[in-house]
Amino acid sequence: GQTLMVGLGTDATRNAAQGKVFWQSELGAGDYGSGFDRGGRIRPQVESMFCWESIRHGAKGLLFWQYRKEAHGSEMGAFGLTDYGGRPTELLDAVARVGRCLNDNAELFHSAQVTPAQVALLFSFNTYMADWAGHRNCQLSVDCLSGYYRMFWDENVPVDVVHEGFIPAGGLSRYRLIVLPNPVALADPLPELLREYVAGGGTVLSDPYLCAFNPDCSLASEVPGGGLAEVFGCRERDITSARNRTVVLHAGGRELPVSGSHFQAFWDATDGTEVLATYEDGRPAVLSNRFGVGRAIISGVNLGLSYSTRQGVGDDFVREGTDGSTGDARELVLDAARQAGMRFDVSTPPDVRASLLSAPDGRHVLIAINMADGQREGGVRLSGVRVSQAQSLLDDGQAVEVHSGLVPLQFGPYESKVLVVR
């Protein structure tokens, strides 16, 4: 779960940088605890995994908190790559190996860029402020976002995290799918931009309670608000809590139990709106509406939230109850992605996550990470690029045979592989 959140935090920062070079500026040193409450050192392979997870999502450098153990304050004795006297530890050796690889191949890593994302997750600062006002924290909004992110992270799909106040140059049309996690108070002009995006051929997938608050956080006169009821082809009839219970969705002959949702909404659909899933009593749960030449999908339950590990970025934000996520909701989300024309260009064995960084000279960097505490083998299949040869950047330049786009690899527990492919 923490590696997932490193990826999410890095992707969010990459998008906030808007094309500028950025570094991972406070990566944990793997020596956890705080003063009298010590957690011990993580394994060096896990520390390396955090490093390469940062690099594969676009970071161009790594800074750690911190080199020496903290000498003062409530965190003294913790968060160091060295021991008490400043001598090397296995964690320092691990990050030094990462650093040597980056520096020995500096030109390649500097020029190689993250594959352009086909899917965007919306970050609504206005919604986070409404969430804070209601709960004195933003955990609901964070978890809704991280759950959707995890669905695509599991499938090795690059993701952008787009801030509602900083829409990228060229607008939203670059994306095949835009996901709205817990979008209760979208700021202007985003509702109108979403309307234009769908009318022009894009696909939007939204959680319930869409624009229930106006941009000034007063209550909307209908839900979906912001003029989006027409786009989504429905209006909310009623809404209730779904916390601490399972909502079963019926979709295409499948039963999909969804646990962990915050809301359960009920809809009045307009003529022509398609029902993608129903509740057990037959009432519509997930709706799809054609608007212009695009498609707007809205769910009555928080699909992303049901798949969230409910963690923060960093050990100081870890919360209880992080193991209750369910995977059934992701089938609906991935179905929507495929129907929107999204490609799944990188496939991996179970527990392995991988991505490509591409350089202008035609070379690519393949970073593959085993997230499991056990050996894994198989291969990383690359269907988005034609690959004829691969060479390890970590194992003394060892060549790897490539067959029909399949890069065969064997992983030790939590091992990272870094290869240049041509």
Side-chain angles (χ1 to χ4, degrees):
Q2 280 296 295
T3 310
L4 164 81
M5 297 307 291
V6 170
L8 173 55
T10 309
D11 275 331
T13 305
R14 174 177 55 82
N15 287 119
Q18 295 190 315
K20 301 183 183 72
V21 171
F22 75 97
W23 284 38
Q24 186 72 278
S25 63
E26 196 173 312
L27 193 61
D31 181 12
Y32 288 105
S34 184
F36 288 105
D37 299 317
R38 302 307 305 281
R41 295 186 188 128
I42 63 174
R43 288 155 66 173
Q45 296 90 338
V46 176
E47 185 69 22
S48 296
M49 180 168 64
F50 291 162
C51 295
W52 290 116
E53 183 71 9
S54 302
I55 297 298
R56 82 181 184 101
H57 292 282
K60 294 300 182 183
L62 305 169
L63 295 173
F64 297 87
W65 190 266
Q66 54 187 26
Y67 183 73
R68 292 283 296 266
K69 289 176 177 291
E70 295 195 37
H72 305 283
S74 62
E75 294 181 350
M76 63 181 179
F79 306 113
L81 289 169
T82 71
D83 69 7
Y84 292 100
R87 292 173 291 269
T89 68
E90 64 274 22
L91 296 177
L92 182 60
D93 293 340
V95 302
R97 186 172 184 238
V98 173
R100 282 193 296 272
C101 180
L102 295 175
N103 288 316
D104 290 347
N105 303 278
E107 181 182 357
L108 174 59
F109 280 103
H110 181 73
S111 63
Q113 301 297 316
V114 173
T115 302
Q118 303 171 72
V119 57
L121 306 183
L122 180 74
F123 172 80
S124 169
F125 180 79
N126 212 41
T127 290
Y128 276 59
M129 294 302 96
D131 194 0
W132 178 270
H135 300 121
R136 298 302 185 268
N137 62 62
C138 299
Q139 292 174 3
L140 172 60
S141 296
V142 171
D143 294 343
C144 286
L145 176 67
S146 70
Y148 280 117
Y149 183 84
R150 183 186 174 202
M151 292 178 183
F152 295 105
W153 184 82
D154 276 355
E155 298 296 323
N156 307 296
V157 172
V159 169
D160 280 353
V161 181
V162 175
H163 191 298
E164 65 185 352
F166 299 92
I167 303 300
L172 301 173
S173 59
R174 70 180 66 183
Y175 302 111
R176 293 189 178 273
L177 175 67
I178 296 175
V179 180
L180 311 181
N182 192 39
V184 305
L186 303 186
D188 283 333
L190 190 62
E192 182 58 33
L193 293 178
L194 290 171
R195 183 185 185 94
E196 294 172 359
Y197 168 77
V198 176
T203 299
V204 171
L205 170 63
S206 179
D207 273 351
Y209 222 40
L210 171 59
C211 291
F213 303 111
N214 298 314
D216 63 0
C217 285
S218 61
L219 189 66
S221 59
E222 63 179 2
V223 178
L228 293 174
E230 180 186 11
V231 177
F232 284 85
C234 65
R235 287 175 174 80
E236 180 192 296
R237 171 187 285 270
D238 194 12
I239 192 166
T240 186
S241 171
R243 288 175 291 181
N244 303 317
R245 62 188 178 90
T246 297
V247 178
V248 178
L249 303 182
H250 294 260
R254 298 172 293 178
E255 284 193 3
L256 304 175
V258 176
S259 300
S261 177
H262 187 81
F263 288 122
Q264 182 180 9
F266 302 90
W267 311 108
D268 285 329
T270 57
D271 291 341
T273 301
E274 180 185 1
V275 177
L276 299 181
T278 63
Y279 297 124
E280 287 193 282
D281 61 7
R283 285 186 285 181
V286 182
L287 302 174
S288 172
N289 186 52
R290 291 288 177 182
F291 183 79
V293 291
R295 186 179 183 215
I297 305 168
I298 193 164
S299 172
V301 292
N302 302 91
L303 297 174
L305 182 59
S306 72
Y307 200 56
S308 174
T309 59
R310 300 176 191 256
Q311 290 178 297
V313 180
D315 67 302
D316 49 339
F317 290 106
V318 173
R319 306 194 302 277
E320 295 296 327
T322 62
D323 58 353
S325 63
T326 55
D328 295 285
R330 70 192 293 266
E331 299 302 321
L332 291 172
V333 177
L334 296 179
D335 282 350
R338 294 185 184 96
Q339 291 167 16
M342 275 184 52
R343 303 182 311 275
F344 295 76
D345 290 336
V346 179
S347 57
T348 56
D351 300 316
V352 174
R353 304 291 178 268
S355 57
L356 278 179
L357 305 175
S358 299
D361 62 5
R363 290 182 296 169
H364 307 272
V365 178
L366 170 62
I367 301 176
I369 305 172
N370 177 17
M371 304 291 168
D373 186 9
Q375 295 187 353
R376 294 292 184 271
E377 62 179 78
V380 176
R381 184 171 296 280
L382 306 174
S383 57
V385 297
R386 295 181 63 183
V387 178
S388 58
Q389 54 183 302
Q391 184 178 22
S392 173
L393 295 179
L394 292 178
D395 301 319
D396 300 322
Q398 180 181 355
V400 177
E401 295 288 336
V402 179
H403 305 284
S404 302
L406 181 69
V407 183
L409 296 171
Q410 293 183 335
F411 298 85
Y414 298 126
E415 184 180 7
S416 301
K417 299 283 189 180
V418 183
L419 303 97
V420 57
V421 298
R422 297 175 174 86

